[in-house]
Amino acid sequence: METESSSGFVVAEMNTHAFMFRGAGRTRAAARDALLNAWQVHRSALLARYPERADSIPEASGMEAHFKIHFLEFAMDAGYRDGERIV
C-alpha cells in the first residue's frame, strides 16, 4: 500500500542481529529508503574500522535477503499502544 497523506507517516523497521534500524517517511517506499540509507551509513562506518569484512556485511540493496522489513503506519495526533491506534 503506497498511500501518502499529510496527516500520517510510515515507519520501516528492520531488526538485525545487533541493532534495530528504523526509517520514517510519508510512504512505505520513503520509509524503506530512509531505513536502508541508515544501514548503508552504519555499514560504511563498520568498513572504515574493519575493511576486511566487506564481503560479510551486505550492501543496503541486499539487506532484505537477510532481514525482513516491517512497516508501521501512523496518523498524526493519534495515540498508539503496541502499534494499535487507541486514541
Side-chain angles (χ1 to χ4, degrees):
M1 180 179 203
E2 289 295 325
T3 59
E4 181 174 336
S5 171
S6 61
S7 64
F9 63 98
V10 178
V11 175
E13 294 184 333
M14 177 178 69
N15 191 12
T16 67
H17 300 298
F19 300 102
M20 174 66 82
F21 288 87
R22 292 184 178 95
R26 290 196 183 274
T27 65
R28 286 182 173 214
R32 178 185 172 275
D33 289 347
L35 179 149
L36 292 176
N37 185 53
W39 168 260
Q40 195 63 39
V41 170
H42 172 75
R43 181 182 188 274
S44 296
L46 286 175
L47 293 179
R49 294 182 68 187
Y50 310 105
E52 70 278 6
R53 297 184 182 172
D55 292 338
S56 65
I57 303 173
E59 293 276 350
S61 61
M63 284 306 291
E64 290 173 286
H66 300 279
F67 301 102
K68 183 164 178 53
I69 295 176
H70 299 274
F71 296 95
L72 306 168
E73 297 187 24
F74 298 97
M76 296 300 290
D77 301 321
Y80 293 85
R81 181 188 63 226
D82 297 330
E84 181 180 332
R85 184 177 177 161
I86 58 174
V87 180

